[in-house]
Amino acid sequence: MNILLTGGSGYIGSHAAVVLAQAGHEVVIYDNLSNSRADVLERLGRILGQAPVFVHGDVRDAALLEQTLRHHRIDAVMHFAGLKAVGESVAQPLAYYDNNVIGSQRLLQAMQQCGVRTLVFSSSATVYGEPQYLPIDEDHPTGATNPYGRTKLHIEQMLADLAVSDASWRIACLRYFNPVGAHESGLIGEDPNGIPNNLMPFIAQVAVGRRPQLSVFGDDYDTKDGTGVRDFIHVMDLVEGHLAALNFLGGNAGWHAFNLGAGQGASVLEMVHAFEHASGRKVPYQIVDRRPGDVASTYSKADKAWQALGWRARRGLDEMCASTWRWQQADVKQKKESL
Ligand code: NAD
Ligand code: UD1
């Protein structure tokens, strides 16, 4: 199939490009480079033997989208493009509604115009809001706690409405838990701008010496060791889940939601120790106050994806940490070389 990846030069989209191309699909990346760099294309070329086609564009540009969908005879879209920083979304809600909600609406309109009706959407476990029970299955009530989460919920609802209006749409909303890790080559990975908000990139930057120590946000939660528990999922498992969802949509019309998680939780300190083991480096840390808005524990029930898609996460914490470490070292080396 010919598959358009909006946001395809970003962290998750670039890994999806690898898995899809290796499964024999033609991949077209459509990205405005607001949170990624064009050199990802060259690195994808090194992994795949040939770089995917790249279109520099914004998902809010309906005309360019239509032109791209037609010109490349696109059969299906994976929609990764979006802004994703929770704190920033609180400070700049309009930018988030514009980019995420309006961007998705324009994309859907362009797809409808061009007769492309298969979509895999990057949703998030954030649509479940505060966990009311664990593990979280797809029937858990939804409700977001910040503007970023609300954009994901609005988009999911828009997609559900669309599927009701026209039974030929095939839509999968994939609710990611905590994606971490990198491709085994060390050529692509997560490269956050500025100080990382998320745990794994922060640990990696401490291990490599870019930051002196990790702040662990609270050790008095009601969890196995008092620190927060999350459902970390290897990014390669996550993108294999996208391929499985695409195959599923081939035989199933309508709107579908799936959790993509490992189905089990790991604590912050377990992650620190796994990273120390994988890297052979110490990760100094200090316990500080809880981060406002954090919950003690959240993790998925991932049975629906296993039953319907035949997919489940296979890679463990060691592989998540080892691949992040490989990428972190290579990334630092590449940045030094380009100075
Ligand atoms: P990322 O920022 O690395 O990738 C997103 C890409 O989209 C970037 O390359 C950016 O340049 C591009 N983009 C943003 N706005 C665009 C626009 N208007 N037009 C065209 N391109 C645009 O983020 P990621 O971690 O790869 O996340 C991908 C998707 O998955 C996002 O929708 C995000 O909300 C969702 N998600 C991510 C996580 C996570 O932890 N990484 C968790 C849950 C859901
Ligand atoms: C955060 C986002 C969520 C998003 C997800 C992407 C918030 C409130 N939620 O979730 O919307 O989908 O990232 O993966 O921002 N921690 C530390 N020290 C740090 C960083 C994190 O102790 O420097 C702890 C946190 O308190 C938490 C755990 O590590 O217990 C994971 O944090 P993080 O990686 O930010 O993910 P989430 O909070 O689950």
Side-chain angles (χ1 to χ4, degrees):
M1 289 170 87
N2 296 333
I3 306 172
L4 186 76
L5 306 190
T6 74
S9 44
Y11 171 43
I12 298 168
S14 59
H15 288 79
V18 171
V19 162
L20 293 169
Q22 287 177 341
H25 297 294
E26 295 295 327
V27 169
V28 176
I29 290 180
Y30 185 100
D31 201 300
N32 68 0
L33 300 179
S34 59
N35 197 36
S36 53
R37 296 199 315 246
D39 67 4
V40 167
L41 275 302
E42 181 260 326
R43 295 173 193 206
L44 286 173
R46 279 161 67 189
I47 295 170
L48 294 168
Q50 192 185 3
V53 175
F54 177 67
V55 178
H56 187 190
D58 194 294
V59 284
R60 290 161 294 185
D61 184 346
L64 181 59
L65 272 173
E66 278 189 37
Q67 188 190 321
T68 306
L69 291 169
R70 289 190 211 283
H71 180 74
H72 295 286
R73 299 174 187 280
I74 296 298
D75 301 300
V77 175
M78 291 199 181
H79 182 32
F80 299 97
L83 301 177
K84 60 166 186 175
V86 173
E88 188 182 62
S89 80
V90 174
Q92 302 172 37
L94 295 183
Y96 274 68
Y97 284 102
D98 183 38
N99 206 83
N100 294 4
V101 180
I102 295 178
S104 298
Q105 190 268 351
R106 296 263 163 80
L107 170 68
L108 295 168
Q109 222 161 20
M111 289 175 69
Q112 198 162 40
Q113 283 294 327
C114 300
V116 181
R117 292 201 177 78
T118 301
L119 179 79
V120 177
F121 171 59
S122 296
S123 189
S124 167
T126 192
V127 299
Y128 295 120
E130 295 260 334
Q132 293 178 17
Y133 57 82
L134 291 172
I136 294 182
D137 59 18
E138 288 81 355
D139 295 327
H140 186 285
T142 54
T145 57
N146 56 66
Y148 164 69
R150 274 187 280 281
T151 67
K152 291 291 178 193
L153 213 44
H154 284 314
I155 298 164
E156 281 208 2
Q157 287 161 347
M158 178 160 57
L159 292 169
D161 288 340
L162 192 58
V164 169
S165 75
D166 176 348
S168 64
W169 277 91
R170 296 163 186 270
I171 296 170
C173 292
L174 303 183
R175 296 170 174 169
Y176 309 166
F177 278 70
N178 290 57
V180 296
H183 186 258
E184 59 182 9
S185 64
L187 285 165
I188 54 173
E190 187 177 15
D191 187 15
N193 291 325
I195 301 171
N197 294 313
N198 296 122
L199 179 66
M200 186 65 133
F202 204 106
I203 290 179
Q205 291 192 7
V206 172
V208 85
R210 271 173 73 182
R211 308 202 178 270
Q213 64 180 359
L214 171 74
S215 295
V216 173
F217 299 139
D219 69 347
D220 54 354
Y221 285 110
D222 183 16
T223 59
K224 45 190 148 186
D225 59 20
T227 64
V229 165
R230 295 292 183 274
D231 185 339
F232 297 101
I233 173 168
H234 197 300
V235 67
M236 293 307 294
D237 279 329
L238 185 83
V239 296
E240 286 168 9
H242 288 61
L243 181 60
L246 184 69
N247 293 338
F248 168 84
L249 291 179
N252 296 275
W255 180 96
H256 310 270
F258 295 104
N259 285 343
L260 293 189
Q264 59 189 28
S267 75
V268 172
L269 287 183
E270 280 175 338
M271 198 52 125
V272 167
H273 296 136
F275 206 93
E276 288 183 333
H277 183 250
S279 64
R281 298 278 181 100
K282 261 332 261 178
V283 177
Y285 66 85
Q286 63 165 348
I287 309 291
V288 300
D289 287 347
R290 292 179 178 190
R291 182 170 65 177
D294 271 356
V295 297
S297 212
T298 179
Y299 50 93
S300 67
K301 188 167 167 71
D303 298 8
K304 187 178 171 193
W306 174 236
Q307 279 149 17
L309 311 180
W311 170 91
R312 68 175 157 211
R314 293 181 293 120
R315 299 162 175 91
L317 285 193
D318 286 349
E319 227 173 315
M320 298 178 206
C321 294
S323 62
T324 304
W325 179 234
R326 210 172 299 127
W327 156 247
Q328 182 68 50
Q329 288 174 296
D331 189 43
V332 166
K333 192 161 156 259
Q334 279 154 5
K335 279 187 176 134
K336 276 191 188 141
E337 281 166 3
S338 66
L339 284 178

